[in-house]
Amino acid sequence: VTGVQTCALPIYLQNGNLDIAVTDKVAIDQYAFIDQDARAGLPVTYYNSPVWEHIDFNLDIQQLQDIRIRRALAYGFNRQALADTLFNGRSPVLDSWLLPDQRGAVPADQLTVYPYDPAQAAALLDEAGYPLNDDGIRVSKQGITLTFELLTTTGSPLRQEIADRFQSDMKALGVEILVTSLQPEEIFAPNGPLFLRQFELALFAWIATPDPAGLQLWSCSAVPSEINGWIGNNFAGWCTRDADYAVKLAATSLDSAEQKAQYAAQQVLFTKELPSLPLFQRLGVVITNPQVTGVMPDALAPLTWNVANWQRVPTP
């Protein structure tokens, strides 16, 4: 449904002019209305959307080649508080690029995780040679400030909120974030900043599928470059022998156990080296007419995946 305010949906659903409403772009102030509708008897289902947000680090940038700085940015960003604000406490943060419902996902206790820990972040930045000066700015002995440009898209209030909160959390650490927003068609153009890898930090979303698509995202051959004609989605430029071997084997093996083992191995390396910081899945909501049954949203499939089971129950 497009062009209809969330708060107006119950009227259309209850009077029979609308059967199903689905969105993963719920404004923060609309959750109270949706919960009120649920209490009033409208069938409301929240689900984790396949769309997930993340921040890529360009590993060609000298400062970002220091793992301590990448980890500090992760520890210093209160992702869970942001997710709680955006999704009314219904969406956890992600620990890896593989979503919990995807094939090959592994539990967090097998990964390197980055809970909000500003003290740890500050210690890592000190260790990396960027102490705080008297103005609360991190500056190296050579006089280089810790400043990064965050590239993101226009037209997304949610993404703007993420950028604003990231900028605020980093400022508290003494790290300056300059936000640049471009039209999506500019950012994702073949000659745009992502494919030409002309960025420092990039905030955007991927859409997950049942097949993790590891080769396209994280193999060495997926790093856009002049050699391969600037194609591939490994925008961070992360290429290590062991991770490349693991993701190639995971994506090509016909043995499901081998796939799972190799994706697990790749995620262990990914979360340890942190070429990209996963944030969270968007929260989707489905509201149905009380007479419609059988709608079962899935995190990795279109809403209509089981449309054959949908039924309209006659009014008594």
Side-chain angles (χ1 to χ4, degrees):
V1 175
T2 58
V4 178
Q5 291 293 323
T6 305
C7 57
L9 290 175
I11 300 173
Y12 294 94
L13 289 163
Q14 290 170 340
N15 65 19
N17 289 328
L18 184 65
D19 288 322
I20 301 170
V22 58
T23 183
D24 63 2
K25 298 178 181 179
V26 180
I28 297 171
D29 61 354
Q30 295 297 302
Y31 285 105
F33 292 105
I34 296 174
D35 291 341
Q36 181 178 331
D37 296 335
R39 290 192 294 271
L42 270 181
V44 174
T45 302
Y46 290 103
Y47 69 100
N48 290 322
S49 163
V51 180
W52 61 283
E53 303 285 342
H54 66 287
I55 297 175
D56 274 3
F57 303 129
N58 187 341
L59 300 184
D60 282 353
I61 305 301
Q62 184 175 359
Q63 291 168 309
L64 292 173
Q65 291 172 359
D66 191 330
I67 183 61
R68 295 170 296 187
I69 291 179
R70 301 199 301 276
R71 288 177 174 171
L73 299 186
Y75 280 123
F77 189 17
N78 196 343
R79 295 175 292 153
Q80 189 61 68
L82 174 59
D84 289 345
T85 298
L86 290 172
F87 307 123
N88 206 28
R90 290 184 169 92
S91 183
V93 299
L94 295 171
D95 295 310
S96 179
W97 66 273
L98 267 169
L99 306 189
D101 292 326
Q102 281 184 290
R103 184 172 70 248
V106 295
D109 60 7
Q110 298 181 27
L111 306 173
T112 303
V113 296
Y114 300 90
Y116 180 55
D117 190 341
Q120 175 73 352
L124 285 166
L125 293 175
D126 288 340
E127 184 183 326
Y130 289 89
L132 282 172
N133 65 12
D134 293 338
D135 296 322
I137 300 171
R138 292 196 174 271
V139 185
S140 70
K141 292 181 179 179
Q142 295 76 28
I144 300 173
T145 62
L146 207 52
T147 301
F148 297 108
E149 180 186 36
L150 177 68
L151 180 68
T152 190
T153 60
T154 59
S156 171
L158 178 143
R159 203 162 289 140
Q160 186 60 56
E161 181 70 22
I162 297 171
D164 290 346
R165 188 70 67 90
F166 182 66
Q167 187 179 51
S168 176
D169 283 357
M170 293 304 104
K171 183 178 180 180
L173 287 175
V175 179
E176 184 179 22
I177 300 296
L178 306 174
V179 179
T180 297
S181 299
L182 298 177
Q183 294 290 333
E185 55 267 27
E186 294 180 72
I187 290 182
F188 296 103
N191 61 346
L194 282 183
F195 283 100
L196 295 184
R197 304 193 56 247
Q198 296 175 347
F199 68 93
E200 294 180 346
L201 308 175
L203 165 63
F204 60 102
W206 285 128
I207 301 177
T209 60
D211 179 355
L215 282 179
Q216 296 94 316
L217 289 176
W218 297 116
S219 66
C220 290
S221 60
V223 178
S225 68
E226 187 174 2
I227 295 175
N228 66 12
W230 306 103
I231 61 173
N233 295 327
N234 188 346
F235 300 127
W238 183 51
C239 175
T240 68
R241 182 195 63 183
D242 291 346
D244 188 59
Y245 175 82
V247 80
K248 283 180 177 177
L249 197 55
T252 58
S253 175
L254 300 179
D255 185 323
S256 60
E258 181 71 7
Q259 287 180 356
K260 183 176 180 179
Q262 294 302 326
Y263 268 129
Q266 192 271 355
Q267 287 172 88
V268 168
L269 294 169
F270 173 91
T271 56
K272 181 179 179 181
E273 299 190 15
L274 201 66
S276 179
L277 178 61
L279 301 180
F280 38 69
Q281 293 172 255
R282 291 184 191 172
L283 184 69
V285 60
V286 176
I287 311 175
T288 59
N289 182 305
Q291 293 178 258
V292 175
T293 64
V295 180
M296 298 177 61
D298 185 281
L300 298 176
L303 179 66
T304 54
W305 72 272
N306 72 330
V307 67
N309 296 329
W310 294 7
Q311 297 184 37
R312 184 188 300 278
V313 180
T315 303

